Amino acid sequence: MASQNKNLGIYIHIPFCAQKCAYCDFYSVTDTQAMREYTLALTSHIRAKKALGKNRTVDSIYIGGGTPSLLPITHIEKILETVYDVFNVSDKAEISMEANPGTLDGGKLAAYRAMGINRLSIGLQSAHNDELSMLSRIHTREEFENSFMLARMEGFDNINVDIIYALPGQSKETLASTLDFVISMAPEHISFYGLKIEKNTPFGKDLEIQKIIPDEDAQYEMYMDSCKTLDEHGYIQYEISNFSKKEHACRHNIKYWTCEDYIGFGPAAYSFYGNSIYSYVKDIERYISCFDDEQAILESTETLTPSQVATQYVMLCFRLRAGINTAEYARRFGEDFDAKYSAKIERFLKEKYIIRTTGGYRLSRRGMMISNYILSEILDFE
Amino acid sequence: MTRQEKIRNFSIIAHIDHGKSTLADRILEKTQSIATRDMEEQILDNMDIERERGITIKARAVKLNYKAKDGETYEFNLIDTPGHVDFNYEVSRSLGACEGALLVVDATQGIEAQTLANTYLALDENLEIIPVINKIDLPSADIPGVRKEIEDVIGIPADDCPAVSAKTGLNIEDILEKIVSDIPAPCGDENAPLKALIFDSYYDSYRGVVIYVRVEHGKLRAGTTIRLMNTGATFDTVEVGYMSAFGLMPAKELSAGEVGYITASIKSVADTRVGDTVTDDKNPTADPFPGFHAAQPMVYAGIYPADGAKYPDLRDALEKLQLNDAALTFEPETSIALGFGFRCGFLGLLHMEIIAERLEREFNLDLVTTAPSVIYRLTLKNGEVIYIDNPANYPEPDQISVAEEPVVKASIIVPTEYVGGIMDLCRDRRGDYKDMKYLDNTRVELHYTLPLNEIIYDFFDALKSRSKGYASLDYELAGYLESKLVKLEVLLNGEVVDALSFIVHADKAYSRGRKIVEKLRDNIPRQLFEVPVQAAIGGRVIARETVRAMRKDVLAKCYGGDITRKKKLLEKQKEGKKRMRKLGSVEVPPETFMAVLKLDEE
C-alpha cells in the first residue's frame, strides 16, 4: 500500500541565531530565551497537522533556519521524534539539517546522527576570515575545517557546504581560493550563491558596501570560472546555484523546483500542498501563543489555478540542469509545452540561451545567468 | 470723503523667500478679514505646487477693510503678483491694476535681481512704492544697511519705511497706516464709458471663466454686454462682485477705482487674456489699455504619455489645464521613439515644470518629456524664413543660409566674492558681457546678453550653486542673434532616435554629445546584445559609448518563500517591460529620456 502513497517533504524552521549576518534576510531572532516554548509550540503544531500526512510518505525532512545547530540537542530530538510519530516517514528519507561552524562539537554531531539526521548543510560562505567578519559570520575558516572533520568522524557521508560569491570587495582570486579550499575538503554537495543585497539588512542600508560589490561583468566571470572549476572536480551542476557529486543532489530542494508537495512549520515557513501556497507570520511570539489557531498564524494563503501551477512549474524547472521534460509536462498539466511556448522561446534557442534536450528544453549556463530576463519574457502569470 | 478716496489698490513685490505670503497673511489677519484660527497658512497661494515651491504662479486678489487711526474705514485691494521671471508680463499687468506697491526686502539679504526688476516694472507703471523691511526679528538683520541699499539702488527714501516681522506680526500696523497715507486713491470717472483691466482669470466648472478686473472708469452691472477689446469677443455679464478672503461675494455693481470679478458664461481663458480691456459693448471706451500682448511661449518640448494607451487622457488633461492657462499651447506630434504625444509651448522652464507636475499629480499621468527647445529662426537659401521649435523639423545644413537663436538681456545680482565664478559661468554659457555695477560695497549687478537656450536647462541652478544661493537672476527677451547652430542626433544601435535630437551651438556640440552618450550608457538597461550609443552631426559620429550586453539577471536562491517572491519579481519585470519604448531593437524605459535632459548635473 505504501508504494501508492504520494511523497511529502517537511520543512522545519528554527528561527534563532547567535547574531544576524549582514546580508541575510531570513527570519530569525537573537534572543534565545524562547527556545523551550518554541519547541513546545512547534511540536504541538506538527501534531495538529497530522491530517496532512494521510496517505503520504515523508521522504525528506529539512531543518533550516536561522541556525538549527544553536538549538539544544534534546529539542532537535523532540522535534524529530514528533515528526516520526505523527507522519509516515520513510526509512530512506533524506533528513537534512543546517549547521553553523562554531556551534558544532563531536557530542552534538553524534547525537544528530543517532536521531536520524543523515545530511548536514554547513554554512561556510568564504574561506577568508576577513570576508567572514565583514559578513558578520560568527566563525572562522579554521572552525569550519574543524567542524567538517568532526562531522566526517561522526559518520556524515552527505555534507553540503554553502559558498557566497560577489561579496563586497571580493576578487576573482579570493573567490577561487575559497572554492579550492572547499573542493579540497571534498563535500558531496556545494551550494554556490551570488550575494543578493536585501533591503532590510545591514548591507541593504550600507551604500559604501554596495559600491564595492563586483559589477555585472565581474560577477558573470566569477560564476562561469567557478562552474568550470566545479565541473573539473566532478561536481555536477543540477541547478543554477547547486552542485553535487553523483547521487547527492538534495532531494528536499528538488521538491521546490518540481512543484512537489511540502509542508513547513515555524514562523516564516512556506508550504505548497495540493495547489495551495501558504505561509506563517514572521513573528515568533505570535507563533508561540497562537500555534493552535491556524488563521491567527497564517501570513498568506493562495490557491493556484492549474494553469498557474503549470507556469510556476516552468519557472522552477528551468532552474534545473535537467530542465523541462515535455512529456512530463503534458502528463502533469494536460497541455502541450511546445504549442504554448515554442514561439516565445525561439529567439532564446537561436542565441543558445535555451538548449534542446532529448526530452525537452533547458537553460544553458549563459541562459541560467539571465534566467529572470528570459522567464519574464516567456511566462505569463495571470 | 468720496467713495474712491477710501480705496487703496496695491500689490506686494518681494523676492522668493523674503516673506511675501507671510506678510499677506498678517495683513489679512490685522484687517480681520479672516480669523487667525481659521486661517490656512498662506491663503493667497492656494495651489499645492505654489505652496510647496513657495512661489506664486497666478495672480490673486483680495478685498480687505481697514479701520485706520483717522477713524475712517478704508477698502484695501491687495493684488498678489506671480513671483517668477517666466510670468513677467502677468506681473506688469497686476501692477497696472494698482496705485501702489509694497516692496518687501529681507533685512538679512537685501535687494535681489527679481525684486529690482519688478520694482522697475512698478516704477514704469507710476506706482507709489513703500519699502518694507521684513524679518527684523532675525539676529542677522541689518536694518540701517538695507535702508541705505534701498536708497542707493532704487533711489527712493527709506528712512521712515516700516521695519517689520511678518512672522511675529511686529509693526504690521505701520504698513497699513503707510498704505492709507502714501498710496494715492484711484481717481476714475464713474460717468465715463466702462474701461477695466483684466489682470487674471481662471476657469470654474460652475461659473465658467471668472475674470479679475480693475475698473478704471465707468460702472458695470450684471446684464451689461461687455466687449473684450483685443479679442473683440462679447459676452453678457452674469454676475459682478468682490473677492473677499472667504470667496467671491456678488455685488450690485463695480465702479471706477474698484477691483472685482466678472462672470459671463465664458468657456475658455483664451478669450480673457491678461492685459485686455473690458468695456461696454454699446458704449465703448475710446482708449483701451496700451501694451496688450498675448503671452507667447518661449520654450517648447514634446510631452508623451509613458504608457502609449494614455494618449487620449493626456489630451483631455492638457485641454483642462489650458482652460485655465492661456499661455499653454499644444498640438499633436508623433515621434518614432515615443509614439503619439503633444508639442507644448511654455512661457519658460518653470512654467513647463509646473505643467508637467500638474499633469502627473492632478491627472495621474506618467510622462516622458523631451529636451526643451527654444524657437530658432532660419533663413533658407531660397530666401524663406522659418521658425523651428522642434529639432525633428530642422532642415539639412546645406539648405540654411542664416541661423539665428533668441537671446535675452540678463541681470544678475551677486555678492562680490562670487563674481568671478558667475562670470565664468556666463562665459561658459556663451554670454556676452555688457557691464557691471556696484550696488554697494558687497554686491554687484552684472548685465549679460545670453542665448535663451543656454539658460533654459539649468542655468538658474548653476547660478545658485556657484554663489551659495545668493545670486539672483532676471531676464527679458531681446530678439534674435545669428549663431552657429547644428543639429545633434543620437543613434542607438545605428538608428537615429528622433526624441533625443537637439539643436546646439557648434562649439558646444562635442561636449554635449559626449555627455549625452555617457548618460545614455548609464541609463539604458543592458540588452541581450551590445548596443552602440552614438552622437552625430550631419551623419558624422562625434562620440560613442557602448551599453554592454546583459550577462547576469538571476535569482541565486529559490526555495519555499522565495518562489512567491520570484513570481512577483517576474511579474514586476514584465510590467516594467510594458512601459519600455522600443527604439528599433533596443528597449528603453521612459526614465532614460528624463535622465538625458539633466545633462549638466554633475
Side-chain angles (χ1 to χ4, degrees):
Chain A
M1 290 299 281
S3 64
Q4 287 175 4
N5 281 358
K6 256 182 96 175
N7 287 332
L8 181 66
I10 288 179
Y11 175 78
I12 290 161
H13 191 66
I14 307 298
F16 299 102
C17 281
Q19 85 181 28
K20 294 289 291 179
C21 298
Y23 56 89
C24 175
D25 77 336
F26 283 122
Y27 176 71
S28 71
V29 296
T30 48
D31 178 1
T32 55
Q33 282 189 353
M35 278 181 174
R36 220 185 94 81
E37 278 182 297
Y38 180 67
T39 303
L40 283 171
L42 184 71
T43 49
S44 307
H45 190 210
I46 292 169
R47 286 191 189 284
K49 306 295 274 185
K50 187 177 171 71
L52 296 181
K54 198 164 177 242
N55 297 329
R56 299 280 191 149
T57 300
V58 171
D59 63 341
S60 81
I61 301 171
Y62 194 101
I63 306 173
T67 312
S69 51
L70 212 57
L71 209 61
I73 303 166
T74 50
H75 292 209
I76 299 280
E77 193 169 20
K78 192 93 197 145
I79 293 164
L80 277 175
E81 273 173 9
T82 307
V83 175
Y84 298 152
D85 189 36
V86 171
F87 298 103
N88 171 29
V89 179
S90 157
D91 42 350
K92 294 198 184 73
E94 173 192 275
I95 304 176
S96 302
M97 190 179 92
E98 291 177 351
N100 217 340
T103 62
L104 292 174
D105 58 50
K108 266 190 184 176
L109 288 160
Y112 294 154
R113 278 301 289 169
M115 60 184 85
I117 293 171
N118 52 27
R119 183 174 183 274
L120 216 53
S121 176
I122 306 179
L124 168 65
Q125 320 310 356
S126 162
H128 298 275
N129 288 337
D130 52 344
E131 289 178 352
L132 289 172
S133 81
M134 175 187 61
L135 296 173
S136 324
R137 298 290 296 177
I138 58 171
H139 59 86
T140 60
R141 164 191 173 127
E142 293 71 29
E143 282 169 314
F144 163 81
E145 206 168 349
N146 195 34
S147 298
F148 190 93
M149 295 303 206
L150 283 172
R152 283 291 194 229
M153 271 158 54
E154 293 304 332
F156 281 96
D157 55 3
N158 190 0
I159 301 180
N160 166 59
V161 177
D162 280 344
I163 299 173
I164 303 181
Y165 75 96
L167 299 177
Q170 190 176 41
S171 68
K172 282 171 139 186
E173 289 71 31
T174 59
L175 171 62
S177 77
T178 288
L179 196 59
D180 289 344
F181 168 71
V182 172
I183 289 169
S184 75
M185 304 291 290
E188 284 67 34
H189 190 287
I190 295 174
S191 293
F192 184 73
Y193 300 115
L195 177 70
K196 179 161 181 275
I197 298 296
E198 303 286 356
K199 248 188 293 170
N200 298 314
T201 61
F203 276 4
K205 293 167 192 151
D206 190 337
L207 296 176
E208 293 307 307
I209 279 285
Q210 288 171 32
K211 268 189 219 154
I212 54 167
I213 287 181
D215 69 17
E216 184 171 338
D217 297 300
Q219 290 193 28
Y220 175 85
E221 281 161 27
M222 284 178 168
Y223 180 80
M224 288 299 173
D225 291 352
S226 303
C227 286
K228 204 165 151 241
T229 307
L230 288 161
D231 287 343
E232 286 163 7
H233 289 84
Y235 288 92
I236 300 158
Q237 178 171 27
Y238 69 98
E239 194 255 1
I240 290 175
S241 309
N242 284 284
F243 300 78
S244 75
K245 291 277 170 72
K246 265 204 183 79
E247 312 294 323
H248 284 93
C250 176
R251 190 190 295 165
H252 187 82
N253 287 346
I254 285 177
K255 286 185 189 293
Y256 294 123
W257 303 316
T258 51
C259 296
E260 300 292 338
D261 286 355
Y262 51 90
I263 51 178
F265 295 97
Y270 270 76
S271 304
F272 182 77
Y273 192 86
N275 284 347
S276 288
I277 298 179
Y278 60 90
S279 68
Y280 296 125
V281 288
K282 295 187 173 88
D283 180 345
I284 183 168
E285 282 158 32
R286 189 172 177 86
Y287 185 82
I288 290 172
S289 58
C290 304
F291 67 86
D292 50 356
D293 177 357
E294 190 77 1
Q295 287 311 313
I297 57 169
L298 273 176
E299 177 163 279
S300 69
T301 169
E302 184 190 5
T303 301
L304 303 182
T305 63
S307 109
Q308 285 172 324
V309 179
T311 306
Q312 177 173 315
Y313 180 83
V314 175
M315 170 180 103
L316 294 168
C317 267
F318 267 140
R319 295 189 70 83
L320 295 170
R321 171 63 167 72
I324 294 272
N325 180 297
T326 51
E328 170 67 6
Y329 182 87
R331 188 189 66 76
R332 272 187 77 159
F333 304 106
E335 61 181 18
D336 183 14
F337 182 87
D338 285 300
K340 193 166 176 183
Y341 290 105
S342 65
K344 288 180 177 170
I345 64 177
E346 197 189 326
R347 58 188 266 239
F348 299 110
L349 273 170
K350 213 168 82 191
E351 302 288 334
K352 297 206 165 54
Y353 289 107
I354 295 180
I355 292 170
R356 239 180 266 277
T357 61
T358 40
Y361 304 93
R362 68 175 180 90
L363 298 187
S364 65
R365 251 179 209 156
R366 276 170 66 237
M368 282 181 174
M369 270 313 258
I370 59 159
S371 55
N372 286 353
Y373 179 85
I374 295 173
L375 294 173
S376 73
E377 289 282 298
I378 67 174
L379 298 184
D380 215 346
F381 304 90
E382 307 87 347
Chain B
M1 262 193 205
T2 66
R3 185 185 54 79
Q4 285 196 64
E5 281 170 353
K6 290 200 272 184
I7 297 176
R8 297 290 181 276
N9 298 320
F10 66 98
S11 63
I12 306 177
I13 297 170
H15 188 70
I16 297 168
D17 295 338
H18 283 195
K20 180 169 72 171
S21 299
T22 318
L23 181 61
D25 289 349
R26 284 303 155 263
I27 293 175
L28 257 66
E29 208 179 289
K30 287 279 178 209
T31 55
Q32 260 132 56
S33 298
I34 186 160
T36 318
R37 69 190 148 77
D38 290 340
M39 199 173 74
E40 204 177 337
E41 276 288 294
Q42 301 181 359
I43 194 151
L44 281 177
D45 291 346
N46 47 20
M47 213 186 285
D48 281 352
I49 298 173
E50 295 187 351
R51 211 167 286 178
E52 278 166 32
R53 294 183 177 228
I55 48 164
T56 310
I57 305 163
K58 301 270 295 171
R60 323 244 170 241
V62 62
K63 178 180 160 180
L64 316 163
N65 290 314
Y66 175 60
K67 194 161 192 304
K69 288 184 178 150
D70 64 7
E72 294 286 344
T73 300
Y74 290 86
E75 174 187 331
F76 282 6
N77 289 301
L78 165 55
I79 297 172
D80 200 6
T81 55
H84 193 276
V85 59
D86 281 4
F87 305 97
N88 244 343
Y89 176 69
E90 281 77 356
V91 175
S92 77
R93 296 305 88 189
S94 295
L95 295 172
C98 302
E99 278 80 32
L102 305 179
L103 166 62
V104 182
V105 183
D106 188 319
T108 67
Q109 307 212 4
I111 299 169
E112 307 281 351
Q114 184 77 65
T115 331
L116 200 55
N118 287 349
T119 306
Y120 291 142
L121 286 176
L123 291 169
D124 287 348
E125 298 287 334
N126 290 320
L127 300 198
E128 179 67 30
I129 291 172
I130 302 175
V132 173
I133 301 174
N134 191 20
K135 301 199 185 178
I136 62 165
D137 56 310
L138 295 181
S140 54
D142 175 13
I143 303 169
V146 171
R147 276 192 211 281
K148 186 167 181 312
E149 191 183 58
I150 293 169
E151 289 176 2
D152 291 352
V153 176
I154 306 174
I156 49 176
D159 48 327
D160 67 339
C161 76
V164 309
S165 164
K167 200 171 125 203
T168 65
L170 181 69
N171 298 343
I172 298 297
E173 263 162 41
D174 292 357
I175 303 177
L176 301 176
E177 287 298 321
K178 267 282 193 200
I179 292 170
V180 171
S181 62
D182 286 20
I183 294 180
C187 49
D189 179 354
E190 290 181 21
N191 300 312
L194 175 67
K195 178 184 175 185
L197 174 71
I198 301 181
F199 64 86
D200 194 11
S201 66
Y202 69 90
Y203 183 81
D204 176 289
S205 43
Y206 298 105
R207 304 166 196 259
V209 175
V210 178
I211 316 172
Y212 284 9
V213 294
R214 155 67 196 272
V215 183
E216 192 74 17
H217 298 300
K219 290 179 186 169
L220 175 62
R221 290 178 176 232
T224 309
T225 303
I226 52 169
R227 189 199 308 169
L228 308 184
M229 296 184 76
N230 278 289
T231 58
T234 58
F235 301 97
D236 292 332
T237 307
V238 173
E239 187 180 294
V240 297
Y242 306 108
M243 289 73 86
S244 85
F246 307 98
L248 300 181
M249 305 279 275
K252 227 168 76 186
E253 65 174 20
L254 290 177
S255 56
E258 291 184 314
V259 172
Y261 70 88
I262 305 170
T263 66
S265 301
I266 303 170
K267 295 211 169 50
S268 163
V269 291
D271 290 326
T272 58
R273 294 296 186 126
V274 168
D276 203 348
T277 307
V278 180
T279 194
D280 187 332
D281 188 44
K282 292 203 186 68
N283 181 22
T285 177
D287 63 325
F289 293 99
F292 171 83
H293 65 84
Q296 289 298 325
M298 285 163 70
V299 174
Y300 286 80
I303 293 188
Y304 292 81
D307 171 1
K310 292 271 171 73
Y311 174 77
D313 301 21
L314 176 58
R315 187 188 51 223
D316 291 351
L318 283 167
E319 278 169 0
K320 288 212 177 81
L321 287 184
Q322 201 180 40
L323 285 178
N324 232 333
D325 186 346
L328 168 70
T329 64
F330 64 91
E331 55 184 62
E333 152 179 287
T334 55
S335 149
I336 300 160
L338 300 172
F340 291 99
F342 295 93
R343 192 80 190 160
C344 301
F346 309 96
L347 295 172
L349 207 61
L350 177 78
H351 188 213
M352 168 173 152
E353 282 175 18
I354 288 166
I355 295 291
E357 211 167 308
R358 290 188 66 188
L359 287 169
E360 299 203 321
R361 244 193 246 194
E362 295 168 27
F363 299 93
N364 220 349
L365 291 163
D366 202 359
L367 303 176
V368 180
T369 311
T370 66
S373 170
V374 300
I375 308 167
Y376 297 96
R377 183 163 71 188
L378 305 177
T379 307
L380 302 182
K381 293 252 167 79
N382 64 13
E384 192 190 343
V385 175
I386 58 172
Y387 289 86
I388 295 287
D389 63 50
N390 186 346
N393 302 331
Y394 203 77
E396 292 300 321
D398 58 5
Q399 293 180 28
I400 301 168
S401 126
V402 181
E404 293 168 295
E405 64 178 327
V407 295
V408 299
K409 276 200 287 195
S411 147
I412 299 162
I413 293 181
V414 62
T416 43
E417 65 255 52
Y418 304 116
V419 167
I422 298 301
M423 290 178 90
D424 286 346
L425 173 67
C426 290
R427 201 174 307 125
D428 182 50
R429 299 301 172 96
R430 300 189 282 128
D432 184 9
Y433 171 80
K434 293 296 172 201
D435 59 37
M436 177 164 80
K437 192 166 86 187
Y438 274 85
L439 298 179
D440 52 34
N441 290 336
T442 58
R443 297 194 311 158
V444 299
E445 185 178 11
L446 291 163
H447 289 108
Y448 274 90
T449 300
L450 280 156
L452 181 62
N453 91 347
E454 292 287 346
I455 61 174
I456 59 170
Y457 290 96
D458 63 340
F459 185 70
F460 196 64
D461 294 339
L463 204 58
K464 287 284 175 192
S465 75
R466 290 189 191 206
S467 65
K468 297 222 167 92
Y470 285 111
S472 60
L473 164 74
D474 187 69
Y475 63 84
E476 61 182 274
L477 218 50
Y480 281 87
L481 277 183
E482 188 169 349
S483 182
K484 281 191 291 173
L485 299 172
V486 293
K487 176 176 169 181
L488 191 88
E489 291 186 314
V490 173
L491 295 85
L492 288 186
N493 210 20
E495 288 176 51
V496 173
V497 180
D498 57 358
L500 291 173
S501 310
F502 52 92
I503 296 159
V504 61
H505 189 265
D507 295 349
K508 290 259 177 127
Y510 179 77
S511 62
R512 285 208 148 245
R514 189 74 245 144
K515 270 185 189 159
I516 200 167
V517 296
E518 283 168 10
K519 272 267 189 179
L520 283 168
R521 177 201 59 201
D522 295 341
N523 280 283
I524 293 175
R526 293 182 178 216
Q527 318 276 316
L528 280 187
F529 45 89
E530 259 187 16
V531 178
V533 182
Q534 296 159 301
I537 298 169
R540 188 171 54 89
V541 174
I542 57 164
R544 178 195 158 120
E545 286 289 335
T546 305
V547 179
R548 306 191 60 176
M550 179 198 314
R551 297 176 84 180
K552 181 169 181 282
D553 180 11
V554 58
L555 195 65
K557 277 191 180 199
C558 196
Y559 306 108
D562 305 320
I563 295 169
T564 305
R565 279 170 72 188
K566 174 156 186 178
K567 272 195 278 188
K568 293 211 174 99
L569 181 101
L570 292 180
E571 274 170 81
K572 220 172 124 191
Q573 208 161 342
K574 211 176 175 72
E575 248 347 274
K577 205 146 303 173
K578 282 189 196 150
R579 297 175 57 242
M580 296 273 190
R581 298 290 171 161
K582 213 157 160 90
L583 308 179
S585 49
V586 184
E587 286 174 331
V588 178
E591 296 80 53
T592 302
F593 293 92
M594 305 308 275
V596 297
L597 295 187
K598 302 194 168 148
L599 272 188
D600 296 285
E601 271 173 17
E602 289 315 323

